[in-house]
Amino acid sequence: MPASLPAAVYAQDRVEIGQDLQLIGGVRYDPFDFASTDRRSLATGARTDNLVSPRIGAVLKPWDTFSAYASYSVSYLPPAGDSAPA
């Protein structure tokens, strides 16, 4: 089976609200394909996932010499181990 290159698409935007606050939002899309064949039993398994990971953050800049950043995001670990034939 030929190996494929991992690829993802990510988009992000930042919005300034006044001088002191910036909001940041983003989303990442990861297509995930997995296929396996047990060489002894020739059993095959396959799995396809389309993972979407959102992200949101804020930057507060109350003074020129100080800024605070907070964010929340979701990430995934593709479940390759449970896709193999038993």
Side-chain angles (χ1 to χ4, degrees):
M1 167 191 304
S4 62
L5 294 174
V9 176
Y10 184 77
Q12 176 176 298
D13 197 11
R14 181 186 65 178
V15 176
E16 292 190 22
I17 300 175
Q19 270 187 305
D20 299 338
L21 181 63
Q22 297 175 356
L23 298 179
I24 302 163
V27 65
R28 177 180 168 132
Y29 170 73
D30 289 284
F32 174 76
D33 293 315
F34 176 82
S36 66
T37 301
D38 184 319
R39 293 185 182 185
R40 288 185 277 181
S41 67
L42 299 180
T44 60
R47 180 177 183 136
T48 299
D49 286 320
N50 296 301
L51 307 174
V52 177
S53 307
R55 173 182 176 229
I56 189 165
V59 178
L60 180 63
K61 299 189 296 185
W63 308 289
D64 288 339
T65 58
F66 177 81
S67 64
Y69 175 72
S71 71
Y72 174 80
S73 62
V74 176
S75 64
Y76 297 99
L77 178 62
D82 66 356
S83 301

